[in-house]
Amino acid sequence: MNAGETRRLSVPATDAGIKAALDALESLWAAQGVSRAVTWPVEVSLDEVLANVVRHGLAGRGESAQVELELQLEPGDPPRCEVRIEDDGPEFDPLAAAAPDISLGVDERPIGGLGIELVRRLMDEVHYERKAGRNSLRLVRRLVAMEQ
Amino acid sequence: MEIGEERTAGALVIVPVGRVDSVSSGELERHVVARLDAGERRVVIDMAGVEYISSAGLRVLLVAAKRLKPPAGALVLCGLGPGVRTVLELAGFTSLFAVEPARAQALARVEAQASA
């Protein structure tokens, strides 16, 4: 592995912005030679967080609203990945949301509500901070295979 | 994401390939719903080519499962890689779906379910 890398980008609060963010993460893995077998939890989590920000926090603002991202990969055994997502939408702490009931059957199961729970379970650490009118969420994961 | 299909005598196999995320899942949902609206009742979703799935993709699977409940319908998933399987497990979805290792077993199961 190389010396590690940090990438900063700003994407619009649209589907195209989410795609650009996921593409940037994919390109970071490729540049650093990290296997997708250990990176998928980060991609799923970033998708969940951005979907929330774009469809709720910044909904309706489209191209005029930006989400700031910092993608960081530190080499090591295992490598460590940290992703920071910042937006200027209304205060929203995803960690304060109640966990969904995952024991319900097909008929009772509400559609949706699972995203944040997945992030909690896939990441080693999730930190939320509200400062200077901005939401800042930090996701951390050591890139090891996920055993079930 | 690309969506492939294979039709067998007894079932329709839908084959999403790539990332099933919050952006691409809308396309997958429209595809699946169009097939169900057209009368498909025995469906296999082969996920061998799926790089990862997020909750937006799980939502599509749930929509399909609700509409293909036995005995009138049958839905079987197959080809789950470790990442896809882990997400389904974390969401408590594995108990909601019939899951088989590969397409051949999935086709056998979907036909058995439909005739049960």
Side-chain angles (χ1 to χ4, degrees):
Chain A
M1 175 170 304
N2 305 332
E5 193 172 343
T6 300
R7 293 188 184 187
R8 291 183 188 83
L9 67 155
S10 178
V11 300
T14 61
D15 276 4
I18 296 178
K19 186 172 182 304
L22 293 172
D23 286 346
L25 203 50
E26 208 173 306
S27 121
L28 176 62
W29 309 139
Q32 292 284 323
V34 187
S35 158
R36 297 295 287 282
V38 297
T39 62
W40 66 264
V42 182
E43 284 153 283
V44 169
S45 299
L46 180 58
D47 182 53
E48 301 295 357
V49 171
L50 288 175
N52 255 329
V53 170
V54 168
R55 307 226 155 76
H56 300 288
L58 303 179
R61 290 174 53 194
E63 296 281 344
S64 69
Q66 296 282 314
V67 182
E68 309 293 332
L69 295 164
E70 187 177 285
L71 316 173
Q72 194 176 354
L73 190 69
E74 291 169 18
D77 186 22
R80 178 179 180 277
C81 176
E82 188 168 324
V83 175
R84 209 173 65 227
I85 302 119
E86 279 194 24
D87 68 85
D88 66 353
E91 180 165 0
F92 175 68
D93 177 1
L95 301 175
D101 184 349
I102 63 165
S103 67
L104 298 174
V106 166
D107 284 330
E108 298 79 34
R109 189 64 80 92
I111 287 180
L114 279 171
I116 292 304
E117 185 59 18
L118 283 178
V119 175
R120 279 196 187 118
R121 292 177 180 226
L122 292 173
M123 291 295 107
D124 294 333
E125 299 170 36
V126 185
H127 305 277
Y128 172 80
E129 207 179 6
R130 177 80 179 177
K131 55 177 183 189
R134 299 175 66 80
N135 295 304
S136 174
L137 196 68
R138 195 159 59 85
L139 313 176
V140 181
R141 182 172 165 84
R142 291 174 316 119
L143 300 180
V144 292
M146 200 145 174
E147 302 296 338
Q148 275 296 300
Chain B
M1 184 195 59
E2 304 285 325
I3 304 173
E5 276 192 350
E6 184 200 349
R7 182 174 298 282
T8 68
L12 176 70
V13 185
I14 299 175
V15 191
V17 174
R19 314 194 293 224
V20 182
D21 54 32
S22 66
V23 178
S24 64
S25 61
E27 183 191 348
L28 182 61
E29 179 167 0
R30 284 189 295 278
H31 187 100
V32 169
V33 165
R35 294 299 183 266
L36 299 184
D37 286 347
E40 297 293 345
R41 288 296 170 265
R42 286 182 269 180
V43 175
V44 169
I45 302 182
D46 186 338
M47 307 184 74
V50 173
E51 290 170 20
Y52 60 82
I53 186 167
S54 67
S55 67
L58 295 181
R59 179 182 178 283
V60 179
L61 298 182
L62 196 55
V63 166
K66 285 182 193 242
R67 289 193 51 182
L68 291 171
K69 271 202 320 176
L75 172 67
V76 179
L77 309 181
C78 69
L80 278 56
V84 172
R85 179 177 295 276
T86 300
V87 167
L88 262 72
E89 281 169 359
L90 290 177
F93 266 43
T94 36
S95 58
L96 303 183
F97 292 94
V99 178
E100 292 291 341
R103 196 180 295 189
Q105 291 106 313
L107 283 168
R109 180 139 172 210
V110 87
E111 284 164 30
Q113 271 193 6
S115 57

